[in-house]
Amino acid sequence: MIKTLMGSLREYKKGSLATIFLSVLEAAFEILIPLCMAKVIDCGVDAGNMNAVWKYGIILLACALFQLLTGVLAAHVSARTSVGFSANLRQDMFDNVQTFSFSNIDKFSTASIVTRLTTDVTNIQNAYQMLIRMAIRGPVMLIFSMIVTFRINSAIALIFLAVIPVMTALLLLIIKKVNPIFGRVFRTYDELNNVVQENVRGIRVVKSFDREEYETAKFKEISARIYNDFAKGERLLAFNSPIMQFFMYGCKVIIYQRFLWLLYFIHFLISFRLQPCVS
């Protein structure tokens, strides 16, 4: 399936590679900004060296500008690439439908084909745009962050490293629960399009036999099913942010407590050594 979808990229392959490259650069500059800020404080402010403040301040400003530039370009190129990819995919699907035999045509309803050419292609477009942007930027940020953290303090890095598998397992559990719900929603779209198509084609018959209330109730029933499934899926997806925030702040608390206990231990040693001896 992936090979078939990638066949619709064609002239937008270069745009996809450019988006990936720009996303990597954006992540790299985002990691460099805190390092430059640390240099400004350590080598400039604390040391009272204004030359170092100016030097690392200019580097910090340059990193921020380059991050902004690469981020804007990556967003622009990814939007054009994903829209072009979806246009090619929709055209390829339409051309493929024209080659169907009568036996194949009987297997697919008109509502199903309309859903595949509209809603499903739009979902693939959004997924592809997120893939070449967020799905690339996230792992690159993780790798760069772990490298920098290990260079600064390996003990702190191990805390983050231990949290990643637990957080990943919880996010995969959410995906496992949400996937069948959205699969059911996409199948219900076919029924919704079929009901709309029947009403548009048979509007004279519906009005002649006074079936407006029945058709309205049938539409509302299918629309309510889509709403309820979407609401259920979105409620489950809403747990992503609390889980990320919980582990992020949990790591901060563990790190702070670790250094707090270290300060208590140092204070204990100092007070013990300064305690006068009683003869």
Side-chain angles (χ1 to χ4, degrees):
M1 183 182 69
I2 300 297
K3 185 178 180 180
T4 303
L5 290 175
M6 291 300 101
S8 299
L9 272 177
R10 295 196 283 275
E11 69 271 23
Y12 295 101
K13 289 181 180 179
K14 293 182 179 179
S16 301
L17 295 176
T19 302
I20 294 173
F21 177 71
L22 290 170
S23 298
V24 172
L25 287 180
E26 181 188 4
F29 285 123
E30 189 169 351
I31 295 297
L32 288 175
I33 288 175
L35 296 178
C36 292
M37 181 64 71
K39 288 291 185 180
V40 171
I41 296 173
D42 295 339
C43 301
V45 177
D46 289 346
N49 187 352
M50 286 303 299
N51 291 329
V53 172
W54 280 104
K55 174 184 175 182
Y56 291 110
I58 292 173
I59 295 175
L60 177 63
L61 180 61
C63 288
L65 290 176
F66 278 120
Q67 184 200 356
L68 176 63
L69 179 62
T70 52
V72 171
L73 288 176
H76 176 73
V77 176
S78 66
R80 289 179 58 87
T81 301
S82 60
V83 170
F85 166 61
S86 65
N88 288 344
L89 179 60
R90 193 176 291 108
Q91 183 65 48
D92 292 342
M93 291 174 65
F94 180 81
D95 294 339
N96 190 40
V97 170
Q98 304 306 310
T99 64
F100 280 0
S101 62
F102 288 110
S103 60
N104 282 334
I105 292 175
D106 293 336
K107 294 180 181 178
F108 299 96
S109 65
T110 304
S112 177
I113 295 176
V114 169
T115 305
R116 302 291 87 77
L117 289 172
T118 53
T119 305
D120 287 1
V121 172
T122 302
N123 291 330
I124 292 175
Q125 171 190 327
N126 295 332
Y128 185 71
Q129 184 175 2
M130 294 176 64
L131 179 66
I132 59 179
R133 279 279 287 148
M134 297 174 62
I136 296 297
R137 187 174 179 273
V140 170
M141 280 283 294
L142 177 63
I143 294 172
F144 286 172
S145 300
M146 293 306 301
I147 292 174
V148 172
T149 308
F150 269 107
R151 290 189 61 184
I152 296 174
N153 191 312
S154 58
I156 294 177
L158 289 175
I159 296 174
F160 292 114
L161 202 60
V163 165
I164 290 174
V166 181
M167 185 172 61
T168 303
L170 291 175
L171 294 179
L172 289 177
L173 180 63
I174 293 176
I175 293 174
K176 183 179 179 181
K177 295 291 185 180
V178 168
N179 188 49
I181 296 176
F182 284 110
R184 186 168 62 246
V185 168
F186 295 145
R187 289 190 296 271
T188 311
Y189 271 131
D190 294 347
E191 300 180 33
L192 182 68
N193 287 337
N194 189 41
V195 169
V196 174
Q197 184 181 2
E198 288 177 353
N199 276 274
V200 171
R201 283 185 174 181
I203 188 65
R204 293 181 181 275
V205 177
V206 171
K207 287 183 174 294
S208 299
F209 289 92
D210 194 20
R211 303 289 288 176
E212 291 95 337
E213 293 184 2
Y214 170 79
E215 294 295 335
T216 301
K218 185 166 67 172
F219 179 85
K220 286 183 177 180
E221 188 269 333
I222 297 176
S223 180
R225 282 162 52 194
I226 294 177
Y227 169 80
N228 292 330
D229 286 338
F230 251 123
K232 183 178 179 180
E234 291 295 337
R235 281 195 296 268
L236 290 174
L237 286 177
F239 283 103
N240 285 339
S241 181
I243 288 174
M244 297 286 289
Q245 296 291 330
F246 173 79
F247 282 105
M248 183 177 70
Y249 289 110
C251 288
K252 289 184 178 181
V253 170
I254 293 173
I255 293 171
Y256 293 157
Q257 288 295 325
R258 177 178 176 272
F259 283 106
L260 189 61
W261 282 109
L262 181 60
L263 290 175
Y264 285 154
F265 182 69
I266 294 173
H267 181 267
F268 171 76
L269 291 178
I270 293 174
S271 61
F272 179 77
R273 294 188 62 180
L274 292 179
Q275 184 177 2
C277 296
V278 180
S279 57

